[in-house]
């Protein structure tokens, strides 16, 4: 499937991130079988994820808490350094760049966080908050140009520019999130990473913010990486979906394909668990047990402990994503062997 | 007879200059074994409703007026010793975050035994036996071992199961669950919902489910109250409210969900946001955000009107109903003269105590 002509905007290959659990030397000391040994424990947050994002698409990353979706976002944004693997942006490898070299790429790549109460500095006015990224990335702009820029962006997110001297606490949650989006748009990015941008908001406000993000996509030709746990939002917003479980990719497919014909047993369970407005009785697929801890990962398929179709091969061999007939990628031995149909 | 009957419940919070009305004349009934959902956005007063049913409103909040008839007794007038008998024993509450509800320095067993022995004369062994039975009811594997464990040793879903087991310990008649699954992942949420539904049905326990998630309400409850700015604006059978909402706010809430719009199309948003309690608009609190608001909506608080099994507090609901049936040409119904209209939607005024109490109590 790899052709030379097509160049994805973002390409992640074999991405891994491990966090050390025992920080100091003393913490690594453990008492085992009458002897003191030094033992390091690690959280395997992301385990070999490969993804691509085309220009103009909205790639959604879904999964439950602890699946590594936020870690992937932070790795791509350069807020964390990967333990292994590569990240290419616009053909250029970016995961090994220093702060200086990364600055021009950061200008093209902006991030929106979940909690608008935490992501705006309470002691900066909206004007100051919105000017800061412009001043950093476009220092050549004059004061009046900067002011125009801020006013234009505020207007585009539906916040009255005359409010620019107000502080974040004077705004409601939905307005704050719109200001946070405005802040990411001030430097004219081409790629926006949104980590649960609407999870902290009420339903009626969620619709306002989602509409704003869709508008910005259409007007500015943005590419999104949208991290969420809410599948109904994915269905509405995403062009492609990646389902993560315990730091590994389970399934990657076009949104319509994924919702019409989920293939991975975990994706099926996830989709069936969403509370619906329509049918009377829910008929969800029960998963046994709960997500295992990402410290000491099980060998083989990460999902095997909860999967109804697991075999000895699943516990021994880690499934790799395999391209299916409809263009989706599924990492499951049972799907590969055709045992699920 | 209803297990719980709330009438004109008004809760205020005293502030330096004036008091703020958090709940404004809430009235509803709950039958034995019935499952009722309370939905609304943050600031609607749904959690305050839950707390005031157990009289857990602490200073500066107070119950200003109204009755909470539970099993023939008025909770609003009870003193602390009487409340202690009700709380946990006859009514139990489940909160959103199980880690905050459980005491981190006590084992699961200690917390369960403590609850049991506070209400019943039981030996330690008897209490532990009951605790094990209840843990088994909520499908906790190897419950004997769990009793010796601390909350941090268990996963989020497991902790919420234990909270449910503790709520069921004394076989209450009513469980109030305030966003019980909001902190959980979808697959775990589905399990917990199944469990709560099953336990309510087998034990004939009434449930009040407070949530912002219409999907959860749809799957869990028989009847629903929709709240906005401290008032109930619509109530009725859950199915009907979701399939055919009457109040413009309920309609907006349902239409704003991504499922209601084709992928990629703009969502139908409600402009503005929930007003703060210190600054509730005059008349209908929803009028600044409502597309159908008239001058009457700005000045006059709408009374609750009954249409069949649904009760709606909206001045314009008749016009909206007429507009739906006659493709856009909304005929304003003559106010107060419904009988003159040939319309089948006969309505009668559901709230009469509203005015009565406003005249009667001048405290």
């Amino acid at each position: 499937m790899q052709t030379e002509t097509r160049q994805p905007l973002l390409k992640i290959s074999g991405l891994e991130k491990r966090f050390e659990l025992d920080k100091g030397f003393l913490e690594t000391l453990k008492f085992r079988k009458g002897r003191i040994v030094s033992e390091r424990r690690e959280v395997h947050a992301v385990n070999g994820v490969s993804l691509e994002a085309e220009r103009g698409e909205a790639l959604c990353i879904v999964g439950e808490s602890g699946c590594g979706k936020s870690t992937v976002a932070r790795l791509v944004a350069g807020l964390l350094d990967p333990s292994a693997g590569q990240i290419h942006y616009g053909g250029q490898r970016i995961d090994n760049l220093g702060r200086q070299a990364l600055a021009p790429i950061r200008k093209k790549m902006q991030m929106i966080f979940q909690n608008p109460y935490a992501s705006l500095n309470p002691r900066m006015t909206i004007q100051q908050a919105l000017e800061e990224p412009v001043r950093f990335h476009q220092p050549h702009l004059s004061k009046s140009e900067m002011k125009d820029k801020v006013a234009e962006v505020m207007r585009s997110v539906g916040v009255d520019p005359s409010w620019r001297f107000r502080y974040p606490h004077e705004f409601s949650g939905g307005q704050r999130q719109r200001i946070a989006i405005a802040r990411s748009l001030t430097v004219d990015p081409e790629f926006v990473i949104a980590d649960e941008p609407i999870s902290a908001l009420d339903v009626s406000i969620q619709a306002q913010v989602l509409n704003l993000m869709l508008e910005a996509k259409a007007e500015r030709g943005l590419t999104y990486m949208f991290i969420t746990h809410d599948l109904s939002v994915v269905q509405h917003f995403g062009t492609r979906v990646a389902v993560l479980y315990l730091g590994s990719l389970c399934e990657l497919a076009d949104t319509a394909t994924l919702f019409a014909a989920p293939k991975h047993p975990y994706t099926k369970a996830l989709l069936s668990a969403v509370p619906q407005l329509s049918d009377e009785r829910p008929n969800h697929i029960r998963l046994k047990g709960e997500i295992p801890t990402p410290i000491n990962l099980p060998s083989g398929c990460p999902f095997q402990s909860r999967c109804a179709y697991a075999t000895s091969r699943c516990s021994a061999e880690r499934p790799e994503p395999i391209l299916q007939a409809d263009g989706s990628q599924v990492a499951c031995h049972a799907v590969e062997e055709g045992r699920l149909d | 007879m209803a297990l719980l009957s709330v009438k004109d419940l008004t809760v205020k919070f005293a502030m330096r200059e004036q008091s703020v009305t958090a709940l404004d004349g809430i009235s509803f009934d709950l039958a034995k074994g019935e499952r009722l959902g309370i939905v609304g956005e943050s600031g609607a007063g749904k959690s305050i409703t839950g707390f005031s049913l157990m009289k857990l409103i602490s200073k500066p909040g107070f119950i200003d007026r109204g009755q909470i008839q539970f099993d023939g007794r008025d909770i609003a007038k009870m003193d602390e010793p009487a409340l202690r008998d009700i709380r946990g024993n006859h009514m139990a509450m489940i909160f959103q975050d199980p880690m905050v509800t459980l005491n981190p320095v006590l084992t699961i067993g200690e917390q369960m035994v403590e609850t049991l022995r506070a209400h019943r004369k039981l030996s330690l062994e008897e209490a532990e036996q009951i605790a094990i039975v209840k843990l088994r009811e909520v499908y906790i594997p190897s419950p004997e071992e769990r009793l010796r464990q601390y909350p941090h040793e268990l996963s989020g879903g497991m902790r919420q199961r234990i909270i449910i087991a503790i709520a069921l310990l004394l076989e209450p008649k009513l469980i109030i669950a305030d966003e019980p699954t909001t902190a959980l992942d979808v697959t775990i949420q589905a399990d917990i919902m199944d469990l709560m539904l099953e336990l309510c049905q087998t034990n004939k326990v009434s449930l009040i489910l407070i949530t912002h998630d219409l999907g959860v309400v749809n799957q869990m409850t028989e009847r629903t109250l929709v709240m906005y700015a401290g008032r109930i604006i619509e109530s009725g059978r859950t199915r009907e409210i979701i399939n055919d909402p009457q109040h413009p706010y309920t309609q907006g809430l349902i239409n704003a969900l991504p499922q209601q719009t084709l992928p990629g199309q703009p969502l139908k948003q409600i402009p503005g946001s929930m007003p703060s309690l210190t600054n509730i608009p005059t008349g209908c609190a929803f009028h600044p955000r409502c597309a159908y608001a008239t001058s009457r909506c700005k000045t006059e608080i709408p009374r609750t009107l009954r249409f069949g099994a649904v009760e709606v507090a909206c001045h314009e609901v008749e016009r909206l109903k007429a507009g739906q049936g006659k493709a856009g040409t909304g005929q304003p119904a003559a106010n107060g003269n419904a009988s003159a209209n040939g319309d089948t939607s006969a309505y009668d005024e559901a709230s009469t105590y509203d005015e009565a109490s406003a005249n009667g109590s001048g405290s």
Side-chain angles (χ1 to χ4, degrees):
Chain A
M1 62 178 279
Q2 200 79 14
T3 52
E4 288 304 308
T5 50
R6 190 178 60 112
Q7 182 159 115
L9 184 64
L10 178 80
K11 185 166 184 264
I12 303 170
S13 39
L15 196 64
E16 279 183 36
K17 180 65 189 175
R18 296 181 292 271
F19 293 100
E20 275 194 16
L21 216 51
D22 306 302
K23 290 278 156 53
F25 170 71
L26 284 176
E27 277 188 34
T28 67
L29 297 181
K30 303 272 152 45
F31 196 68
R32 294 267 186 280
K33 292 177 190 158
R35 295 173 57 201
I36 292 175
V37 292
S38 171
E39 215 178 62
R40 283 185 186 279
R41 290 178 306 159
E42 286 178 326
V43 174
H44 299 257
V46 179
N47 305 299
V49 169
S50 300
L51 281 177
E52 284 176 12
E54 300 294 333
R55 240 169 242 280
E57 81 172 343
L59 174 68
C60 290
I61 301 188
V62 290
E64 298 180 284
S65 39
C67 75
K69 54 192 192 299
S70 286
T71 309
V72 169
R74 279 154 197 268
L75 287 166
V76 171
L79 300 176
L80 294 171
D81 292 323
S83 308
Q86 297 186 353
I87 303 167
H88 290 264
Y89 183 83
Q92 185 189 359
R93 187 172 172 191
I94 59 165
D95 58 277
N96 54 359
L97 295 179
R99 283 178 75 90
Q100 287 278 309
L102 204 57
I105 290 157
R106 285 227 166 116
K107 179 177 171 299
K108 296 180 198 161
M109 203 194 265
Q110 289 288 310
M111 190 155 175
I112 304 167
F113 296 90
Q114 174 172 1
N115 189 347
Y117 295 83
S119 56
L120 291 170
N121 187 335
R123 301 182 61 175
M124 279 166 118
T125 62
I126 299 310
Q127 168 93 6
Q128 288 169 325
L130 292 178
E131 262 183 19
E132 196 185 36
V134 187
R135 200 176 300 131
F136 182 79
H137 286 296
Q138 290 156 302
H140 56 275
L141 287 186
S142 73
K143 263 209 164 124
S144 67
E145 281 176 310
M146 196 124 67
K147 215 179 128 194
D148 290 346
K149 181 98 212 160
V150 168
E152 178 238 305
V153 171
M154 281 181 79
R155 225 173 280 123
S156 75
V157 298
V159 177
D160 189 343
S162 66
W163 294 349
R164 63 185 184 278
F165 298 119
R166 296 193 186 185
Y167 286 91
H169 74 266
E170 298 175 76
F171 293 91
S172 69
Q175 284 172 325
R176 269 183 243 202
Q177 192 62 298
R178 279 188 267 163
I179 291 163
I181 292 173
R183 194 166 189 246
S184 72
L185 296 179
T186 47
V187 293
D188 297 319
E190 48 185 25
F191 185 61
V192 173
I193 303 160
D195 188 0
E196 302 266 15
I198 58 165
S199 305
L201 306 173
D202 274 320
V203 181
S204 70
I205 312 298
Q206 284 190 353
Q208 294 174 5
V209 171
L210 268 186
N211 279 349
L212 172 66
M213 292 182 69
L214 281 172
E215 264 167 45
K217 180 171 182 266
E219 279 169 21
R220 295 163 185 263
L222 291 178
T223 307
Y224 281 114
M225 184 180 218
F226 194 95
I227 317 292
T228 183
H229 68 278
D230 188 339
L231 287 154
S232 58
V233 172
V234 171
Q235 188 168 21
H236 185 79
F237 188 85
T239 53
R240 267 192 324 143
V241 196
V243 183
L244 292 190
Y245 183 83
L246 217 59
S248 303
L249 186 71
C250 291
E251 188 159 353
L252 174 69
D254 289 338
T255 309
T257 315
L258 186 99
F259 281 86
K263 294 182 188 63
H264 196 285
Y266 177 64
T267 317
K268 287 183 182 173
L270 202 59
L271 289 182
S272 75
V274 180
Q276 294 295 337
L277 285 183
S278 50
D279 53 356
E280 285 279 352
R281 269 309 301 154
N283 189 18
H284 83 265
I285 303 167
R286 267 174 196 261
L287 292 177
K288 50 186 179 183
E290 293 184 16
I291 305 177
T293 94
I295 314 169
N296 307 328
L297 275 188
S299 63
C301 175
F303 186 58
Q304 45 145 318
S305 61
R306 299 174 75 192
C307 184
Y309 310 98
T311 61
S312 58
R313 187 183 170 205
C314 299
S315 50
E317 191 187 327
R318 201 183 126 100
E320 290 299 323
I322 294 172
L323 191 67
Q324 307 292 311
D326 58 8
S328 58
Q329 291 180 44
V330 184
C332 176
H333 293 314
V335 170
E336 186 195 346
E337 295 160 12
R339 282 194 276 124
L340 289 188
D341 307 316
Chain B
M1 203 195 87
L3 175 71
L4 177 77
S5 173
V6 178
K7 281 206 174 66
D8 194 31
L9 178 64
T10 300
V11 172
K12 292 189 175 175
F13 283 80
M15 287 177 53
R16 229 168 275 164
E17 273 125 39
Q18 88 281 39
S19 62
V20 160
T21 309
L23 283 188
D24 194 358
I26 299 282
S27 303
F28 65 90
D29 285 347
L30 180 75
K32 194 175 184 313
E34 190 181 24
R35 298 185 306 278
L36 176 77
I38 302 183
V39 283
E41 297 178 286
S42 33
K46 48 193 198 307
S47 289
I48 296 280
T49 307
F51 282 120
S52 50
L53 293 182
M54 279 189 142
K55 213 180 175 185
L56 282 170
I57 302 288
S58 52
K59 279 184 178 172
F62 59 96
I63 295 179
D64 188 50
R65 61 186 150 88
Q67 298 173 357
I68 306 165
Q69 292 286 342
F70 178 73
D71 231 3
R73 290 192 283 173
D74 187 359
I75 288 181
K77 291 198 177 61
M78 274 185 194
D79 55 1
E80 277 301 311
L83 285 169
R84 202 166 303 148
D85 173 53
I86 292 275
R87 292 176 188 153
N89 216 356
H90 299 290
M91 258 190 203
M93 200 151 179
I94 298 171
F95 297 94
Q96 178 172 358
D97 190 340
M99 202 55 211
V100 179
T101 322
L102 290 168
N103 187 334
V105 298
L106 295 179
T107 62
I108 303 302
E110 281 167 340
Q111 305 190 40
M112 297 185 83
V113 167
E114 182 187 39
T115 311
L116 277 165
R117 301 231 288 175
H119 288 283
R120 304 256 164 90
K121 279 210 173 81
L122 292 168
S123 72
L124 200 65
E125 289 73 34
E126 286 169 329
E128 282 201 352
Q129 280 315 307
I130 297 178
I132 289 170
V133 170
K134 292 293 166 189
L135 287 179
R136 212 164 265 141
E137 269 182 38
V138 296
Y139 303 105
I140 297 252
S142 45
E144 294 85 354
E145 284 167 42
R146 302 294 165 208
L147 289 182
R148 315 273 166 262
Q149 286 185 314
Y150 289 91
H152 75 264
E153 298 178 74
L154 305 165
S155 67
M158 196 84 97
R159 277 183 219 139
Q160 200 61 304
R161 278 168 200 272
I162 284 166
I163 297 284
I164 293 172
I166 291 177
L168 291 170
L169 273 179
L170 295 147
E171 281 151 14
K173 295 176 185 129
L174 170 64
I175 291 180
I176 302 168
D178 189 353
E179 303 268 11
T181 57
T182 308
L184 306 172
D185 281 318
V186 260
T187 53
I188 313 292
Q189 164 174 289
D191 283 348
I192 297 285
M193 289 198 321
D194 281 359
L195 174 69
M196 285 179 60
L197 203 57
E198 178 195 323
L199 292 172
C200 284
Q201 281 167 341
T202 52
N203 301 343
K204 291 261 174 4
V205 183
S206 302
L207 175 73
I208 293 183
L209 181 76
I210 298 166
T211 179
H212 68 281
D213 190 329
L214 287 157
V216 170
V217 164
N218 182 38
Q219 300 197 340
M220 291 283 290
T221 66
E222 298 151 319
R223 222 150 51 81
T224 298
L225 312 177
V226 185
M227 292 190 69
Y228 189 82
R231 297 192 190 114
I232 296 174
I233 53 137
E234 183 161 358
S235 64
R237 281 193 43 213
T238 305
R239 281 280 75 217
E240 281 172 40
I241 287 193
I242 284 173
N243 288 338
D244 185 20
Q246 301 298 320
H247 196 285
Y249 173 66
T250 320
Q251 292 173 354
L253 210 56
I254 291 169
N255 288 336
L257 294 172
Q259 298 94 302
Q260 303 296 102
T261 311
L262 285 174
Q265 296 298 308
L267 296 170
K268 298 182 194 84
Q269 62 189 50
I270 310 177
S273 54
M274 178 78 75
S276 99
L277 290 180
T278 51
N279 195 16
I280 293 179
T282 55
C284 174
F286 186 59
H287 84 255
R289 304 175 72 188
C290 183
Y292 310 103
T294 62
S295 57
R296 187 182 171 207
C297 301
K298 289 177 191 155
T299 52
E300 198 182 319
I301 296 176
R303 279 190 298 197
T304 308
L305 305 176
R306 181 177 284 143
F307 296 92
V310 183
E311 292 182 3
V312 190
C314 176
H315 291 310
E316 295 300 307
V317 67
E318 293 212 313
R319 188 165 67 96
L320 290 177
K321 270 178 138 15
Q324 271 174 8
K326 284 158 197 161
T329 52
Q331 286 181 338
N335 287 330
N337 287 331
S339 52
N341 218 329
D343 221 318
T344 46
S345 65
Y347 78 95
D348 55 295
E349 285 165 16
S351 66
T352 45
Y353 35 80
D354 215 333
E355 302 138 85
S357 56
N359 297 333
S361 64
S363 62

